[in-house]
């Protein structure tokens, strides 16, 4: 059972943890106490509670101590650059706008959602529990990569079966993520438009299949490609053999063998004109894109070598299609023997279930190991405000209850697959007690024993100790020499009620140990 540990580098700037105190209070405390006393106070209280340590050596005692209670670690670098909102906005606008758009002064054919907007240039606004990186230059991206490498090495050296987390916006120019996300969204939208023309609108995503002959006729009528030109599109080993093409087949037309800067044309439904999916990159932009992919490869290679699972964090919806696709390509390469790369699925998205089922189906077809981290989502307030102000459809589920339903639907789908497959693992990243209890109950009903190490639970360090430590003690082997402090948590009782009746080997005499986590 894993925790999301923070690696901090000091207390100047923000408190480094899952939630930041108001900057005004921080500044006042620093003025009243002075820098030396301020740092001591922070390390004894907020910083000490939410941050594992300042470097690889500092975190080891805490990791090892909690490992004794069955709690593993997810190392995550949490330091943010101390920028003013104006500086953040300037950096964002500069790094998310292509050279051609700067030259022409606009991007008339671009979708609103996938354009940088000055009012939302500071991506830290209304976001508490997620780190934010702003692009400066390629040297800074290399420095972030080196930091992530140190986190991976610290994970591999501190405990077995460990995780480390990375963000792709730290590894390259975000302009590429924006443009590639738009490519993928338009490509998928085009598929559904053609499905509607074939009378197949409204079907579940994996049940929607296009007839190849009709598809080729449509492409020819639109002037995208003649039948002869499109013939080679559907000649793969399995592609189109059945006479139909599903969304996975369609997506495979843009894969790691395709030059991403190659022009792809689709009709704009508003103008009726054919438009390029991806604008031409300058030579420097093309190099920046390739460097981002190279950094991802370096990190995944090191994680595989050290036996560390690498979780790619989810980010804002206008970056996420590209992030998910690039993570998928990493999984296809590095997850052949075991689940090394974990993709993150945000269940507050309306399309979360479609995303999970498509990736799972692709892993089945190609035979690689599927690793998923399920979260509700960290950017809700920002995403809603951006969609409303800029004028595109809100990508999030309308209510918290619907998000909960989506989370359980996605989770249940993955757990059902785990029952029958040795190639699926999931991290239930949630502070919600009902979600954890639902997972434990479904594991018992499906016969998924904790010793199989297919299901992990994750909480932020210091946020929900009443969930984390009872889980670690209940579901991991009992360890000798573990002391006990008499602090009883109701949640531990509830967890325990699900364990004893269902799983042989768990006896009432093995009842979990409870303690006050503040005293650890």
């Amino acid at each position: 059972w894993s925790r999301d540990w923070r690696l901090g580098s000091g207390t100047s700037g923000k408190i480094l943890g899952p939630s930041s105190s108001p900057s005004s209070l921080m500044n006042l405390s620093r003025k009243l106490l002075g820098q030396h006393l301020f740092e001591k106070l922070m390390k004894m209280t907020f910083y000490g509670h939410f941050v594992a340590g300042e470097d690889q050596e500092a975190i080891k005692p805490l990791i090892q101590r909690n490992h004794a209670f069955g709690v593993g670690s997810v190392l995550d670098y949490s330091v943010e650059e101390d920028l003013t909102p104006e500086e953040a906005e300037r950096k964002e606008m500069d790094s998310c706008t292509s050279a051609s758009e700067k030259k022409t002064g606009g991007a008339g054919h671009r979708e609103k959602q996938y354009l940088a907007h000055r009012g939302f240039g500071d991506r830290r606004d209304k976001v508490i529990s997620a780190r934010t990186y702003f692009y400066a230059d390629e040297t800074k991206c290399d420095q972030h990569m080196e930091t992530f490498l140190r986190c991976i090495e610290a994970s591999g050296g501190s405990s077995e079966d460990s995780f480390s987390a990375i963000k792709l916006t730290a590894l390259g120019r975000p302009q590429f993520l924006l443009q590639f996300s738009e490519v993928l969204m338009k490509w998928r939208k085009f598929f559904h438009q053609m499905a509607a023309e074939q009378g197949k609108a409204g079907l579940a995503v994996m049940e929607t299949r296009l007839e190849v002959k009709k598809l080729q006729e449509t492409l020819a009528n639109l002037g995208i490609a003649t039948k002869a030109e499109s013939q080679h599109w559907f000649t793969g080993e399995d592609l189109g053999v059945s006479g139909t093409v599903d969304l996975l087949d369609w997506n495979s037309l843009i894969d790691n063998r395709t030059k991403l800067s190659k022009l792809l044309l689709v009709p704009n439904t508003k103008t009726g004109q054919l438009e390029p999916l991806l604008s031409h990159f300058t030579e420097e932009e093309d190099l920046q894109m390739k460097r981002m992919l190279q950094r991802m490869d370096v990190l995944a290679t090191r994680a595989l070598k050290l036996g560390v699972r690498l979780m790619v964090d989810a980010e804002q919806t206008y970056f996420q299609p590209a992030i998910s696709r690039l993570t998928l390509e990493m999984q296809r390469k590095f997850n052949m023997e075991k689940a090394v790369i974990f993709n993150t699925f945000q269940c507050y998205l309306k399309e979360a279930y479609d995303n999970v089922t498509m990736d799972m189906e692709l892993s089945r077809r190609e035979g690689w190991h599927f690793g998923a981290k399920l979260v509700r989502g960290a950017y809700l307030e920002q995403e809603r405000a951006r969609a409303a102000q800029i004028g595109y459809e809100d990508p999030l589920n309308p209510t918290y209850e619907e998000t909960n339903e989506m989370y359980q639907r996605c989770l249940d789908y993955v757990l059902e697959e785990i029952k029958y497959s040795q190639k699926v693992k999931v991290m239930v990243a949630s502070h919600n007690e009902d979600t954890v209890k639902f997972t434990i109950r479904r594991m018992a009903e499906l016969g998924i024993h904790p010793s199989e190490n297919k299901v992990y639970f994750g909480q932020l360090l210091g946020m929900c100790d009443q969930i984390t430590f009872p889980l670690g003690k209940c579901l991991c082997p009992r360890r000798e020499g573990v002391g006990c402090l008499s602090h009883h948590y109701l949640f531990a009782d509830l967890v325990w009620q699900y364990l004893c009746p269902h799983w042989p080997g768990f006896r009432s005499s093995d009842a979990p140990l409870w303690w006050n986590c503040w005293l650890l």
Side-chain angles (χ1 to χ4, degrees):
W1 267 253
S2 299
R3 304 303 299 275
D4 192 354
W5 307 110
R6 302 291 188 234
L7 280 176
S9 65
T11 54
S12 59
K14 294 186 176 182
I15 291 294
L16 308 176
S19 90
S20 299
S21 299
S23 58
S24 58
L25 179 60
M26 297 283 290
N27 292 332
L28 177 61
S29 300
R30 187 181 288 107
K31 289 178 181 178
L32 291 175
L33 298 174
Q35 186 66 26
H36 181 69
L37 287 178
F38 173 77
E39 289 190 3
K40 281 189 172 295
L41 177 63
M42 290 300 100
K43 289 185 178 182
M44 291 172 61
T45 54
F46 297 102
Y47 185 95
H49 186 68
F50 292 117
V51 183
E54 297 177 12
D55 53 39
Q56 293 95 315
E57 291 303 314
I59 65 176
K60 284 185 178 179
L62 182 60
I63 289 178
Q64 292 168 356
R65 181 167 53 188
N66 286 281
H67 185 67
F69 294 101
V71 178
S73 62
V74 182
L75 293 185
D76 198 346
Y77 184 63
S78 67
V79 176
E80 290 182 346
E81 191 176 359
D82 193 10
L83 300 174
T84 66
E86 293 75 20
E87 289 172 329
E89 178 186 297
R90 178 180 54 77
K91 283 195 171 188
E92 184 74 354
M93 295 303 297
D94 182 65
S95 63
C96 287
T97 306
S98 69
S100 62
E101 289 169 351
K102 290 176 183 176
K103 187 176 181 179
T104 60
H109 67 280
R110 297 284 303 279
E111 293 281 337
K112 296 181 195 176
Q113 184 175 357
Y114 299 97
L115 281 171
H117 290 268
R118 192 169 298 280
F120 296 90
D122 187 353
R123 288 183 278 114
R124 300 167 302 183
D125 188 38
K126 299 183 177 67
V127 177
I128 293 175
S129 60
R131 275 72 56 219
T132 302
Y133 295 89
F134 293 95
Y135 181 84
D137 50 40
E138 294 298 293
T139 300
K140 191 70 173 179
C141 292
D142 286 335
Q143 292 172 358
H144 289 152
M145 182 188 72
E146 292 299 326
T147 300
F148 290 147
L149 284 172
R150 291 197 297 272
C151 288
I152 293 170
E153 291 165 358
S155 296
S158 300
S159 63
E160 298 177 0
D161 208 33
S162 56
F163 289 82
S164 192
I166 64 171
K167 273 184 177 287
L168 293 199
T169 50
L171 298 176
R173 187 179 177 89
Q175 170 207 336
F176 166 59
L177 296 176
L178 271 177
Q179 289 187 269
F180 191 34
S181 288
E182 186 176 7
V183 168
L184 296 169
M185 180 277 297
K186 284 186 174 180
W187 192 244
R188 183 168 172 172
K189 186 176 180 180
F190 187 29
F191 175 87
H192 287 297
Q193 289 172 347
M194 291 186 290
E197 290 180 8
Q198 294 189 14
K200 298 177 181 179
L203 295 177
V205 65
M206 291 312 303
E207 295 176 4
T208 305
R209 303 190 68 88
L210 304 182
E211 296 179 29
V212 172
K213 289 184 178 179
K214 289 184 178 180
L215 173 59
Q216 291 176 317
E217 290 175 3
T218 300
L219 295 173
N221 292 336
L222 290 170
I224 295 175
T226 65
K227 287 186 179 181
E229 290 171 335
S230 64
Q231 189 70 37
H232 72 281
W233 288 14
F234 309 102
T235 57
E237 183 177 346
D238 301 310
L239 189 62
V241 171
S242 64
T244 62
V245 173
D246 66 14
L247 186 54
L248 287 179
D249 297 327
W250 181 249
N251 285 343
S252 70
L253 298 178
I254 305 179
D255 63 10
N256 57 350
R257 292 162 296 181
T258 301
K259 291 184 179 180
L260 297 177
S261 55
K262 179 182 177 181
L263 280 180
L264 293 165
L265 299 176
V266 296
N268 183 314
T269 54
K270 295 180 181 178
T271 65
Q273 300 297 313
L274 293 176
E275 295 176 348
L277 278 174
L278 191 61
S279 62
H280 284 293
F281 285 172
T282 65
E283 184 176 348
E284 177 57 27
E285 287 171 339
D286 195 55
L287 286 174
Q288 290 168 348
M289 176 192 72
K290 291 176 180 176
R291 290 189 196 113
M292 175 188 280
L293 302 178
Q294 289 167 353
R295 292 181 188 109
M296 293 170 61
D297 193 84
V298 168
L299 293 172
T301 300
R302 186 70 58 88
L304 177 64
K305 180 179 179 180
L306 297 178
V308 174
R309 273 75 55 84
L310 196 61
M311 294 194 306
V312 180
D313 283 345
E315 303 191 44
Q316 284 87 352
T317 53
Y318 41 93
F319 294 137
Q320 193 54 44
I323 291 171
S324 292
R325 182 56 186 262
L326 295 175
T327 303
L328 183 66
E329 296 302 331
M330 293 169 68
Q331 290 179 312
R332 297 169 91 174
K333 179 177 180 179
F334 292 96
N335 283 12
M336 296 308 298
E337 300 297 328
K338 58 182 179 180
V340 176
I341 308 299
F342 278 59
N343 202 356
T344 301
F345 297 91
Q346 298 161 305
C347 294
Y348 64 8
L349 297 180
K350 294 174 182 176
E351 60 182 23
Y353 184 76
D354 287 347
N355 294 337
V356 172
T357 55
M358 281 198 300
D359 284 10
M360 180 81 81
E361 175 60 25
L362 186 64
S363 72
R364 291 192 199 105
R365 294 183 187 183
E366 298 183 344
W368 44 267
H369 290 247
F370 179 83
K373 174 186 175 185
L374 299 182
V375 302
R376 280 174 171 78
Y379 306 97
L380 186 146
E381 189 177 356
Q382 185 186 96
E383 292 281 8
R384 285 212 195 285
R386 191 177 189 271
Q389 186 169 325
I390 295 172
Y392 57 87
E393 182 183 351
D394 187 345
L396 311 186
N397 291 313
T399 66
Y400 179 71
E401 289 72 25
E402 288 174 276
T403 293
N404 284 342
E405 291 173 7
M406 179 65 78
Y407 195 105
Q408 289 197 359
R409 186 184 182 196
C410 294
L411 176 57
D412 202 47
Y413 178 83
V414 176
L415 291 175
E416 287 274 3
E417 185 70 15
I418 286 175
K419 177 181 179 180
Y420 301 105
S421 175
Q422 297 297 317
K423 293 186 174 183
V424 180
K425 291 192 175 184
V426 65
M427 171 168 281
V428 182
S430 176
H431 300 102
N432 187 298
E433 293 186 6
D434 290 336
T435 297
V436 175
K437 286 184 284 187
F438 170 82
T439 308
I440 293 172
R441 184 176 69 251
R442 288 297 289 145
M443 288 173 65
E445 292 169 356
L446 295 169
I448 303 170
H449 197 279
S451 63
E452 298 178 48
N453 292 325
K454 294 180 179 179
V455 181
Y456 304 89
F457 294 89
Q459 291 87 39
L460 293 171
L461 174 62
M463 286 290 285
C464 276
D465 291 341
Q466 79 278 13
I467 293 178
T468 305
F469 287 98
L471 281 171
K473 200 58 200 165
C474 290
L475 304 182
C476 291
R478 188 179 179 88
R479 289 173 170 82
E480 297 297 329
V482 176
C484 175
L485 295 176
S486 58
H487 188 86
H488 185 93
Y489 284 103
L490 176 62
F491 179 78
D493 275 347
L494 296 173
V495 171
W496 194 248
Q497 288 173 14
Y498 289 114
L499 297 182
C500 292
H502 298 288
W503 285 315
F506 287 97
R507 304 179 301 278
S508 58
S509 59
D510 292 327
L513 305 178
W514 297 289
W515 55 89
N516 188 331
C517 296
W518 282 92
L519 300 179
L520 285 176

